[in-house]
């Protein structure tokens, strides 16, 4: 019997999208790695009745409920009280905990130079020190303690693990949470769930669907899900260790049918590019325009990227393309700013100005304005030049301004992959 | 009695965070604008039993259930079938719809140059043309039609509006969805819910909590939620038109207590900066380092930004700071790459090289490596120079590499706000 967990993410800012939820996915992955399955993540605002309903929904079918958020000092932070009430355990102030939280708050305020109102601060701290009777307290990583609240004596139901909302605090508290006695007991018996990923670039989802249907009877024990995003088709499979042979058959079928678009059996394109640059000892510089800095930001998002990324120029105005990346005025005039010639000139200009081994350039029309009949919105030209040779690509992308910028950045990363590693064409 | 809706977002890729859910927040906002309240967004993977459970959870307490995702051609796309089954309405193939979908798929494939397998394509199209008996069909925006599936005759419960997963398709289909007879009937009686936002920069959440507690008895009818993100404290309030006077009292109290950190009664810092540049007719260029392109990307994310953003240089390597932005080698040697002097030199260099009116520079240590005792990870210096004067700021930020990069970018936007508009200091 699989061990299951349910997750409740609280916060009106998450419900409305002001903040993207990172805790649900992180917890689902952390749990999967321990063989615990997550069926649902329920996102609620700051209303007690909605949180209560979510707890009620999940508690009937899982071994552990986990909540995130709602542990701050303001009146709309009410998770601990609602969970305590739901589990039938009234809250009391833990005074030793209150002192520890007060000390943390004082230290943080001093470091950040905030002016603090003593009454406001004390009230907030006291609120954060309220603990349901019988709950296990997890020491604060920030200011808010976590809790493991078992159901009241004589009742049945899963314990509720209450974690802070800020992702760094939640992740910092996780080791203590899974090590606590009630959580260990709840998750006892979980067996390892494996997860493997295959990545295709350029295959439509319906063709993959046909392959999966064809070999369906060989895949018992596998849970296969596919996701098409920014042009990349990702096949994620979860299974018990006993179904490893079935995964081998799936991988064989995909390799046989899609050998020319299968570019990875795990690592992302970004990871492949980063490793390739490190292995070759090459550096790269970027000359981008419509993506406005997104490509350089994406390459530098990886830890250690300073070893191989010298930087980039977002040459938004045409004057910037000439002045900073030496794109000839004549080329801009004849071919136009959005052309293969200018993409190549941006790549060469970046390589030359930064002194890198590889240069990548791109130019396009992100929209919504700026398109013409010959060069509609979504027209993008890319070029990558390196010591061994060069590659280029032109596409017309559909979608919103943001979507075109994001997809162009993805195409650029795949072009670098193609330049450095060969394999499936970008 | 408020009209309520519940939202189910389907897709293992969303559950695991491979893709950030944009549909839940977008739908919640679109519904709010029509006076419809959303209590929960439930995210499930691709398993029928989890989708059924989510439908069961929501159906008991809302006037309309909305699902997104799971309408594609692969076997894990099963929303239409599960919803039909849940509502007690068996599915049949709508052959006229099947022809229309086939035509769309053929047209899309020709444009994108995909090689299509006829059998695979036909099977996927047939699957997408399955319609629960008695459901209203919403014409495809992509390839998948939407559906409005009422509960079976003789049973009670809300209708389920089934929408595609890709955000552009869901948003494109929304007008037809809300215009359909069953959805109009479900949402009849909704009254306008207003929403207003106040934004503070530099006030801790506990101080705001104290103000809210103090005036709590004047705020009847207001639902006030606060969210601290990237250093910015956002107060979002929802209320019926009748509670407008209460909102005035809230605004008064916040203005009185936090006049020196309240920087907006609505527009984001980014919007204020974009408007200020447009109003002055000034241009800006960026000299960034540890943010790697994020600041330029953020400024250019706004439509129409080409009128005032000339571009930016992500000068990741020190050589790039010298070569592309003329930061003197002596300054780098004496003050170090992470110093107020270099921040100012980056701002001046960007302004000079791009020929802009305003230059903004920043330099810091994003981590996790690179910190020292005197300059720990999170040390950031920023400077902005313009025709009227200049401003500068230094901070030490806590958190992960990604968090430091994001918060530095937020500080930079606020520094531009301060340079152009005065008001609360960055």
């Amino acid at each position: 019997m699989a061990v299951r967990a349910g997750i409740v993410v609280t916060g009106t800012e998450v419900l409305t999208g002001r903040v993207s939820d990172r805790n649900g996915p992180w917890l689902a992955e952390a749990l999967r790695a321990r063989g615990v399955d997550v069926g649902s993540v329920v996102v609620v605002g700051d209303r007690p009745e909605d949180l209560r309903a979510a707890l009620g929904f999940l508690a009937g079918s899982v071994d552990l409920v986990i909540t995130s958020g709602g542990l701050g000092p303001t009146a709309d932070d009410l998770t601990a009280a609602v969970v305590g009430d739901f589990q039938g355990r009234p809250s009391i102030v833990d005074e030793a905990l209150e002192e520890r939280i007060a000390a943390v708050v004082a230290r943080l305020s001093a470091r950040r130079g905030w002016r603090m109102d003593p009454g406001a601060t004390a009230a907030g701290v006291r609120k954060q020190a309220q603990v349901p009777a019988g709950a296990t307290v997890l020491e604060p990583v920030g200011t808010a303690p976590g809790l493991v609240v078992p159901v009241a004596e004589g009742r049945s139901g899963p314990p509720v693990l209450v974690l802070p909302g800020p992702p760094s605090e939640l992740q910092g508290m996780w080791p203590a949470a899974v090590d606590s006695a009630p959580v260990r007991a709840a998750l006892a018996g979980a067996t390892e769930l494996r997860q493997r990923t295959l990545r295709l670039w350029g295959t439509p989802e319906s063709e993959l669907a046909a392959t999966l249907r064809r070999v369906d009877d060989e895949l018992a024990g596998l849970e296969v899900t596919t996701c098409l995003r920014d042009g990349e088709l990702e096949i994620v499979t979860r299974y018990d260790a006993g179904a490893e042979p079935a995964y081998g058959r799936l991988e064989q079928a995909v390799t046989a049918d899609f050998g020319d678009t299968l570019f990875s059996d795990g690592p992302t394109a970004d990871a492949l590019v980063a490793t390739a640059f490190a292995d070759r000892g090459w550096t790269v510089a970027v000359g981008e325009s419509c993506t406005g800095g997104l490509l350089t930001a994406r390459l530098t998002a990886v830890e250690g990227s300073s070893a191989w990324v010298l930087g980039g120029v977002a040459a938004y105005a045409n004057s910037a393309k000439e002045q900073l990346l030496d794109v000839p005025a004549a080329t801009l005039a004849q071919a136009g700013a959005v052309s293969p010639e200018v993409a190549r000139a941006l790549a060469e200009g970046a390589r030359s100005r930064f002194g890198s081994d590889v240069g990548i350039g791109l130019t396009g029309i992100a929209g919504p304005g700026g398109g013409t009949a010959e060069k509609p919105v979504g027209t993008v030209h890319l070029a990558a030049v390196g010591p061994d040779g060069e590659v280029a690509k032109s596409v017309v992308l559909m979608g919103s301004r943001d979507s075109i910028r994001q997809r162009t950045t993805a195409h650029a990363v795949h072009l670098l992959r193609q330049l450095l590693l060969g394999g499936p064409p970008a």
Side-chain angles (χ1 to χ4, degrees), chain A:
Chain A
M1 239 335 250
V3 176
R4 296 198 88 193
I7 300 170
V8 187
V9 173
T10 76
T12 302
E13 70 278 5
V14 183
L15 195 65
T16 59
R18 173 71 177 88
V19 168
S20 267
D21 174 46
R22 289 166 48 196
N23 292 332
W26 191 89
L27 286 168
E29 176 56 27
L31 289 160
R32 183 204 63 76
R34 291 169 173 275
V36 180
D37 191 48
V38 172
S40 313
V41 172
V42 184
V43 180
V44 298
D46 298 301
R47 294 188 194 132
E49 62 269 25
D50 292 331
L51 175 54
R52 261 195 294 276
L55 293 171
F57 167 51
L58 294 171
S61 62
V62 300
D63 304 286
L64 175 69
V65 176
I66 305 177
T67 72
S68 88
L71 299 182
T74 52
D76 59 344
D77 294 304
L78 34 71
T79 301
V82 172
V83 169
D85 187 66
F86 180 81
Q87 297 288 65
R89 294 183 175 273
S91 291
I92 48 173
V93 174
D94 177 334
E95 291 185 353
L97 176 63
E98 188 180 12
E99 281 183 34
R100 294 199 295 281
I101 297 174
V104 170
V105 171
R107 203 168 59 240
L108 277 178
S109 315
R111 186 193 297 169
R112 289 176 180 171
W114 287 343
R115 48 167 187 130
M116 301 297 288
D117 172 78
T121 309
V125 166
R126 193 163 189 81
K127 180 178 175 297
Q128 290 182 303
Q130 297 240 344
V131 176
T136 302
V137 173
L138 305 170
E139 282 306 300
V141 171
T143 60
L147 301 165
V148 188
V149 189
V151 72
E153 306 279 335
R155 285 177 39 185
S156 67
V160 180
L161 165 59
V162 177
L163 295 172
S168 58
E169 290 185 35
L170 181 145
Q171 297 175 24
M173 197 176 283
W174 180 250
V178 291
D179 205 47
S180 69
V183 174
R184 273 210 312 258
L187 302 185
T191 53
E192 179 206 5
L193 278 180
R194 293 183 182 177
Q195 176 176 294
R196 296 282 305 277
T197 302
L198 296 171
R199 304 179 188 279
L200 311 183
W201 177 258
T203 292
E205 205 167 5
S206 57
E207 287 204 29
L208 175 63
T211 295
L212 295 177
R213 269 194 290 268
R214 198 185 73 241
V215 301
D216 189 58
D217 54 349
E218 303 176 37
L219 308 183
L222 303 183
E223 191 184 311
V224 184
T225 58
T226 67
C227 170
L228 179 67
R229 181 181 175 230
D230 282 348
E232 187 179 302
L233 190 46
E234 184 181 74
I235 310 166
V236 178
T237 310
R238 293 184 176 78
Y239 54 97
D240 282 327
E244 186 70 49
Y247 188 75
R249 290 190 288 274
L250 171 65
E251 198 166 9
Q252 233 173 4
V254 172
T255 306
D257 287 4
F258 305 110
D260 58 344
T261 60
L262 175 66
F263 72 88
S264 172
D265 67 350
T268 60
D270 299 65
L272 291 173
V273 166
T275 304
F277 271 110
D279 286 352
R280 303 263 190 136
W282 283 355
T283 55
V284 66
V286 175
E288 56 186 312
S289 68
C290 58
T291 42
L294 284 175
L295 176 56
T296 316
R298 182 161 167 171
L299 295 177
T300 57
V302 182
E303 219 182 294
S305 51
S306 56
W308 50 276
V309 182
L310 298 186
V313 175
Y316 216 53
N318 282 353
S319 55
K321 294 179 178 70
E322 291 185 52
Q323 291 160 10
L324 276 96
L325 292 172
D326 305 316
V327 175
T331 310
L332 282 165
Q334 287 156 19
V338 178
S339 60
E341 293 87 342
V342 169
R344 197 181 180 287
L346 288 168
E348 282 288 6
R351 182 163 72 156
S352 163
R353 285 286 192 133
F354 283 85
S356 61
D357 300 295
V358 173
I360 176 152
L362 64 90
T363 174
I365 306 170
T372 63
E374 319 148 320
K375 296 187 189 181
V377 164
T379 302
V380 179
H381 301 285
L382 308 99
V385 296
D388 279 2
E390 53 188 85
V391 287
K393 176 166 184 127
S394 299
V395 286
V396 180
L397 301 172
M398 310 287 152
S400 66
R401 175 187 179 80
D402 182 60
S403 157
I404 287 170
R405 279 160 49 108
Q406 296 294 341
R407 288 197 66 172
T408 298
T409 305
H411 276 265
V413 173
H414 278 273
L415 200 66
L416 283 173
R417 174 186 58 71
Q418 192 188 338
L419 181 78
L420 273 71
L421 296 170

